[in-house]
Amino acid sequence: MPVAKLTADGQIVIPDEIRNLLGLLPGDSILIEPSGSVAVISRIEPNSTAPPDSELQQSINRKNLETPIQYIKGVGPKLAGILAKKGIATVEDALYLLPIRYEDRRELRKVAGLRPGCTEVFHARVISAGPASTKGGRRFYEAVVGDDTGTIVLKWFNFNPRYMKGVWQPGKKGIFTGEVSQFGLQREIHHPDVDWIAEGRELAAIMAADPVNFGRTVPVYPLTEGLNQKTMRKVLKEVVDNFSCDLYSCLPPELMTRYGLLPVDKAVREAHFPDNAADLRALNDWSTPAHRTLSFDEFFYLELGLALKKHGTAIDEGIPFKVTHKYTRQLLKMLPYSLTDAQRRVLTEIKNDMSAAHPMHRLVQGDVGSGKTIVALLAALLAVENDYQVAIMAPTEILAEQHYLNIHRYCDELGIHACLVTSGLKGKAKIGILEDISSGKFQIVVGTHAVIQEKVEFARLGLGIIDEQHRFGVLQRGSLKKKGQNPDILVMTATPIPRTLAMTVFGDLSLSVIDELPPGRTPVTTRICNESQRQRVYGIVRDEVRKGRQAYIIYPLVEESGKSELKAASQMAEHLAHEVFSDLRIGLLHGRMKPEEKEAVMRSFKACETDILVSTTVIEVGIDVPNATVMVIEHAERFGLSQLHQLRGRVGRGSNQSRCVLLAGWKLTADAEKRLHVMEGTADGFAIAEADLEIRGPGDFLGTRQAGLPEFRVANIFRDGAILEQARKEAFSIIGRDPALSSPENISMRRELLRRWGGRLELAGIA
Ligand code: ADP
Ligand code: MG
C-alpha cells in the first residue's frame, strides 16, 4: 500500500501513484476528516486560481473555436454574411452544422445502372435537348444524356429557354446528380445538378483534382439562398481540417467504451467527411458511431444539468406536511363519487412527496376529464390542514375563474377561505384581498399570473399548484416558488406529453400520470361537416334536445377581447334563439361576462334550464354537464388540436352516446384538414398529442421558446429517443453518486456543464 509520509514541518507527501490516480495538481486543497482513530480524505477541491494545464489548454481551444467564420480561407465578407443568416458566425457553429444527408460519390455510376428512387451521380454526354410540352400543354425542357451503356431523360419544369439553349449543347460532357424516378419504362431526373467538363479535359483528372466532391461519400448540407453544396463543402473541409482538433470531449471514458462512442473531435470529422468504408445507410439514418456520439454528448449534458437541478431541490429543505385527514376526509365524503385507482395512486405519490422533508416538484399529467381538479384540491387541503397557504395558478383569467368557481363551493362547505386574484382586480377590493392574503386569512388563492406579481405576499405559502392546461411556462414555476420558503410545487397538464419531451422539458420534475377516466364514460362520435350540411347539423341538435339532452355550440374567439368576433357570437345566439330554435331555451356564454353572470349561465345550463349553450371557448374547461350530449364546433379549422380535444372533452361525460360535429369552412389548409381528421379518427389524448407534435413541431407544440425547450444543435428527440434515454440514465446515475461533481474524475465534466448551461443552474446551487 502506498504510504504518505508526514515531514518534520507538518507537510504530507503524497506518493506519485496516488496523485496520479486522483488527478491531483499542485495547489489543490485536500479536505481531511477525522473518522474514529483514522482520518479520511473527504473531498478534493481543485485549485481555482492557477488553472491546471488541461484547463489552460481547453481555454486556448475555446478561443480557437470562437474564431469568426470570416477568417476562414475562402470566406469573404459576402459569404460570411450569407453564413450568418444560417446562424453560422464562428468556427464552432460551422463544426456543428452537420450534413442533412450523404451522397455516394465513391465511384460514378454507369447510366444503365442508375437506380430509381436513389440520388445518383454519373458521367454522361448530351445527346439531344430542347423544349417540349405535355399532353396537357404544360411546357418543359427536356434533355437526353447517355454513355456507352444507355441513356436517361432529364427534365425541367421551370426554365429560361434562352439560357437552356445556350448551355445544353449536344456533345457536351458533364457530371450529373439527381434523384432518379421511373415513369413506365422511362427513367427520368427532374432538375438535376450538373458540373460541366471543359473541352479536352479528362474525367479522371477532374475527379482527382477535386477530392472534396468526388471519389468519396460526400456530405449534403442544408443551404440558403446564395449558397451551394460545393461552396459549403469547401468551407466545411477547411474548418474541419483545421479546427476539429480544438473540440474536446468530456464524456466519461467508461461511458464511451460502453456505448461505443468516439472522441468528439473524431466524431465531428467523420460526420462531415466520412471514411469511404462508412455505411451509407447508417450515415443517412444518423446511426453511425460518429452521429450517436454527437447526439449522446448533447443529451448527456442537458440531462446532467436537469439531474443537478432535480437533485438541488432534493437536498433543499422543504416542509414536511403531516397527513391529518381533517379536511380531505370530509371532502371525499362530500363527493358524489369515489376516486379512480389512478387518482388514488397519484394522490399517494403527491402525499409522499409533500410529507417528505424536501420540496416536491411534481408534474401531474392526465387527459381531459381524468379528474385532475379534485386531486389538486385534495393536495391543497393537505397543505391547509397544516396551516399553510396554497396558490393555484392558471394561464388565463377564464381558467382561473373556472377553478375558483369549482373550488370555492367545496371550500365554503369546509369552512376554508378561498379568493380569486386576477389582473382585473382593482382599487379597494384589491387592497382588501392582498391584505387578507398577507395576513394568512385566505388559505387558498386562485389566480392568473397576477398571483406571482410583486405586490402579492403570502403569510405562509406551502404549496403552489400550476394548472398549465396545454400551455407550459417553466419560468413561472420559479417565480411561484419564490413566494414562499421552498414551497411544494405541483404542475398539472392536460396535454399528454410524449415521453421524450417529458424527459427534456420537464426532466427535473417527477411525473405522475392519471391514466384512467372515471367510469361510465362513452366514447364520443365525431364527424366533420361543412356549410352545406348546416341544416342537418341543426337537426342533430334538435333530436338530442327532444330526447331531453343538451347541446353546446362553440364559436372560435381567439381573442376574447375582439369586439367584432364577440358580436358574431352574440348575433349567432340571437339568430339561433329567434330563427332556428325559437322553441328552445338558448344561453350565451363568453369571456367578457362578469364571473357572477357566467356562473349564473352555467348554473342554469347545469340545472337543465337551458337547452343549448352558445359559447366561446370559455367552456374549454370548468363546465361539466353530463346531460350535454352534442357539441357543434363552428369554424373548427381555426382551433388547434389540443384545444379541439379539450372542447370535445366537455361532452361524453355521462353514460349516453355523445356526438361532436366539426363544422368546417370551405377552404382548409393542409394542416387544418389533418387536424380535423385526427379528431375524427381518435379520442385518445396521447395519440392526439403525438399528432399535434408532428404537425406543429416541438417548439410550437410547447408554446415557443419560453417553454424552455432546449434547442439542440445536432440531436433530435424524435430520431434519437433511445440515445436520449441512455444519456439520461447515465447522467442521473452520475449525479446520484457525486451530486456536486466534485470528485477528481468529474471535475472536467463539471466545468463543461457550467460552460454549457451558463447561468441556468442556480437552482442546483453548484454554479
Ligand atoms: P380534468 O382532469 O380535465 O381537469 P376534471 O377535474 O374537470 O377533469 O374532472 C372531470 C369531471 O369528472 C368532473 O365532473 C369531476 O367531478 C368528475 N370526476 C372526477 N373524478 C371522478 C371520479 N373518480 N369518478 C367520477 N367522476 C369524477
Ligand atoms: Mg381541469
Side-chain angles (χ1 to χ4, degrees):
M1 199 160 52
V3 173
K5 280 231 173 80
L6 187 67
T7 63
D9 53 359
Q11 305 208 6
I12 297 176
V13 180
I14 297 177
D16 283 348
E17 46 184 316
I18 297 288
R19 276 174 53 175
N20 291 341
L21 187 72
L22 299 179
L24 289 174
L25 292 167
D28 287 351
S29 307
I30 299 164
L31 308 185
I32 300 176
E33 215 172 64
S35 161
S37 62
V38 297
V40 294
I41 295 181
S42 69
R43 204 139 62 100
I44 292 158
E45 290 195 345
N47 178 2
S48 52
T49 50
D53 286 353
S54 68
E55 192 173 344
L56 186 67
Q57 187 57 51
Q58 282 190 11
S59 66
I60 294 170
N61 292 346
R62 258 310 52 245
K63 278 271 167 315
N64 287 339
L65 292 172
E66 284 158 17
T67 307
I69 195 75
Q70 196 180 325
Y71 297 163
I72 298 304
K73 198 175 125 200
V75 182
K78 182 159 168 257
L79 186 51
I82 296 172
L83 288 169
K85 278 196 213 127
K86 274 213 79 61
I88 299 170
T90 66
V91 157
E92 185 178 11
D93 298 333
L95 288 173
Y96 282 99
L97 181 86
L98 296 192
I100 40 172
R101 60 185 176 80
Y102 299 84
E103 226 164 71
D104 186 357
R105 292 192 174 190
R106 282 174 292 190
E107 46 193 311
L108 303 187
R109 290 211 160 248
K110 287 291 182 190
V111 170
L114 301 178
R115 300 156 299 175
C118 296
T119 297
E120 303 276 37
V121 189
F122 58 97
H123 171 239
R125 195 169 51 85
V126 178
I127 295 165
S128 64
S133 45
T134 63
K135 284 199 198 93
R138 189 172 173 205
R139 301 224 335 131
F140 63 94
Y141 196 87
E142 182 178 77
V144 176
V145 300
D147 61 11
D148 49 7
T149 66
T151 61
I152 187 163
V153 175
L154 312 179
K155 283 183 180 171
W156 292 259
F157 294 95
N158 298 310
F159 63 97
N160 173 340
R162 283 219 355 242
Y163 170 81
M164 295 301 269
K165 189 162 189 287
V167 169
W168 288 85
Q169 298 286 335
K172 267 173 91 170
K173 286 182 192 160
I175 296 169
F176 303 86
T177 310
E179 191 179 335
V180 181
S181 39
Q182 177 103 35
F183 294 91
L185 291 177
Q186 180 162 297
R187 288 172 309 163
E188 298 180 359
I189 298 178
H190 298 171
H191 294 255
D193 285 335
V194 58
D195 294 306
W196 294 113
I197 295 173
E199 199 72 48
R201 283 200 68 189
E202 279 305 311
L203 175 66
I206 287 172
M207 288 179 62
D210 189 356
V212 175
N213 287 293
F214 294 107
R216 68 182 320 143
T217 298
V218 295
V220 178
Y221 293 100
L223 298 178
T224 37
E225 205 169 314
L227 279 179
N228 61 42
Q229 292 298 346
K230 271 196 166 166
T231 312
M232 283 301 277
R233 282 181 202 137
K234 188 161 155 262
V235 172
L236 261 310
K237 186 83 172 81
E238 191 70 25
V239 172
V240 170
D241 283 352
N242 293 303
F243 291 91
S244 61
C245 57
D246 287 311
L247 294 166
Y248 43 89
S249 185
C250 294
L251 289 175
E254 189 264 321
L255 291 185
M256 293 177 54
T257 318
R258 190 135 49 87
Y259 291 106
L261 306 177
L262 307 175
V264 170
D265 55 330
K266 186 156 187 253
V268 164
R269 277 192 291 277
E270 289 191 7
H272 282 284
F273 297 99
D275 196 272
N276 266 356
D279 175 3
L280 190 74
R281 176 169 304 164
L283 284 167
N284 280 325
D285 283 351
W286 204 272
S287 62
T288 64
H291 286 108
R292 283 191 295 109
T293 298
L294 297 173
S295 292
F296 190 98
D297 180 78
E298 196 162 29
F299 284 142
F300 179 77
Y301 276 96
L302 169 76
E303 293 297 334
L304 205 57
L306 291 171
L308 261 178
K309 267 183 142 178
K310 187 164 177 178
H311 197 85
T313 53
I315 57 179
D316 272 351
E317 213 166 296
I319 309 160
F321 291 100
K322 292 202 179 56
V323 180
T324 70
H325 298 298
K326 184 177 165 201
Y327 295 121
T328 47
R329 194 163 288 158
Q330 271 194 64
L331 176 68
L332 288 175
K333 274 197 207 126
M334 280 157 57
L335 295 176
Y337 51 78
S338 52
L339 297 184
T340 62
D341 288 345
Q343 283 171 317
R344 245 184 269 269
R345 190 189 65 237
V346 169
L347 199 61
T348 306
E349 288 165 356
I350 294 171
K351 275 186 187 162
N352 288 343
D353 275 10
M354 287 182 71
S355 45
H358 309 300
M360 166 170 77
H361 243 193
R362 185 167 285 279
L363 176 71
V364 173
Q365 177 182 312
D367 207 349
V368 196
S370 61
K372 292 183 294 295
T373 315
I374 206 69
V375 171
L377 183 56
L378 284 160
L381 295 183
L382 178 57
V384 173
E385 284 169 7
N386 284 261
D387 260 338
Y388 276 93
Q389 288 170 296
V390 179
I392 301 178
M393 207 167 99
T396 65
E397 307 241 330
I398 299 148
L399 298 187
E401 278 166 22
Q402 304 305 329
H403 271 307
Y404 175 69
L405 295 180
N406 243 324
I407 283 169
H408 93 90
R409 56 187 172 133
Y410 291 119
C411 288
D412 285 355
E413 268 189 73
L414 293 167
I416 292 172
H417 300 286
C419 69
L420 177 65
V421 176
T422 61
S423 51
L425 196 60
K426 296 256 149 60
K428 273 212 183 108
K430 180 172 178 175
I431 295 171
I433 286 188
L434 291 185
E435 272 176 14
D436 288 343
I437 294 173
S438 66
S439 76
K441 180 185 162 218
F442 281 124
Q443 292 148 296
I444 298 182
V445 180
V446 184
T448 54
H449 56 273
V451 169
I452 49 173
Q453 275 163 12
E454 264 169 59
K455 281 160 281 176
V456 186
E457 277 174 36
F458 289 84
R460 272 160 71 79
L461 183 66
L463 170 66
I465 299 176
I466 306 175
D467 186 359
E468 304 196 310
Q469 291 299 328
H470 42 273
R471 291 153 224 247
F472 304 94
V474 174
L475 295 177
Q476 295 185 334
R477 273 192 256 152
S479 315
L480 188 56
K481 212 171 159 59
K482 290 195 187 104
K483 290 282 168 190
Q485 281 203 318
N486 284 340
D488 282 348
I489 297 288
L490 191 63
V491 183
M492 299 192 294
T493 173
T495 309
I497 305 160
R499 214 183 127 64
T500 45
L501 267 189
M503 278 194 286
T504 50
V505 184
F506 300 102
D508 54 336
L509 298 181
S510 316
L511 185 68
S512 288
V513 186
I514 308 185
D515 49 8
E516 175 187 5
L517 293 181
R521 308 259 166 96
T522 38
V524 181
T525 45
T526 301
R527 252 180 67 189
I528 305 170
C529 292
N530 59 37
E531 271 308 312
S532 68
Q533 294 159 298
R534 181 173 281 279
Q535 293 310 320
R536 282 244 297 282
V537 173
Y538 287 157
I540 296 173
V541 171
R542 189 172 278 286
D543 283 349
E544 289 294 310
V545 172
R546 202 172 286 138
K547 283 189 256 170
R549 316 255 184 270
Q550 291 161 281
Y552 294 107
I553 300 181
I554 309 295
Y555 264 82
L557 287 200
V558 185
E559 293 290 330
E560 283 289 340
S561 57
K563 270 209 182 98
S564 61
E565 289 188 313
L566 198 58
K567 205 168 132 216
S570 319
Q571 276 175 354
M572 193 61 187
E574 291 284 306
H575 169 71
L576 293 173
H578 294 119
E579 283 151 54
V580 186
F581 301 115
S582 55
D583 51 331
L584 304 179
R585 298 162 302 174
I586 312 275
L588 174 66
L589 192 69
H590 60 76
R592 298 188 114 205
M593 290 159 67
K594 296 209 180 73
E596 309 88 74
E597 291 174 330
K598 269 189 267 184
E599 203 173 356
V601 172
M602 284 187 193
R603 199 176 287 136
S604 124
F605 189 64
K606 206 161 179 159
C608 208
E609 293 159 7
T610 315
D611 301 307
I612 299 174
L613 186 60
V614 179
S615 171
T616 62
T617 48
V618 178
I619 64 133
E620 201 180 312
V621 288
I623 204 163
D624 179 49
V625 181
N627 190 48
T629 52
V630 200
M631 173 168 286
V632 178
I633 304 179
E634 299 260 3
H635 295 293
E637 75 278 6
R638 293 195 201 162
F639 293 93
L641 258 179
S642 57
Q643 208 175 11
L644 287 172
H645 179 59
Q646 288 272 343
L647 283 169
R648 184 172 59 182
R650 296 302 122 193
V651 290
R653 302 193 144 229
S655 48
N656 299 305
Q657 177 65 59
S658 293
R659 321 169 68 154
C660 174
V661 179
L662 304 172
L663 210 49
W666 290 115
K667 277 218 175 110
L668 300 186
T669 64
D671 276 356
E673 198 150 332
K674 253 192 235 160
R675 285 198 296 270
L676 297 184
H677 281 107
V678 169
M679 287 300 293
E680 205 176 33
T682 181
D684 176 352
F686 198 84
I688 290 174
E690 297 257 326
D692 203 13
L693 186 59
E694 196 187 309
I695 294 172
R696 289 198 286 167
D700 279 348
F701 178 83
L702 289 167
T704 71
R705 225 147 273 181
Q706 69 119 11
L709 182 74
E711 286 192 37
F712 296 109
R713 284 196 292 199
V714 294
N716 174 318
I717 58 173
F718 302 112
R719 184 189 58 207
D720 310 326
I723 300 176
L724 170 58
E725 294 217 24
Q726 294 167 345
R728 177 175 176 84
K729 191 180 99 203
E730 300 300 342
F732 273 70
S733 117
I734 287 173
I735 296 300
R737 291 195 304 268
D738 180 13
L741 291 180
S742 57
S743 77
E745 76 268 18
N746 290 339
I747 292 291
S748 62
M749 217 152 67
R750 171 182 156 145
R751 208 180 291 132
E752 180 65 8
L753 180 73
L754 290 175
R755 187 179 76 75
R756 294 203 202 180
W757 274 69
R760 292 180 293 151
L761 276 176
E762 341 67 62
L763 266 181
I766 81 147

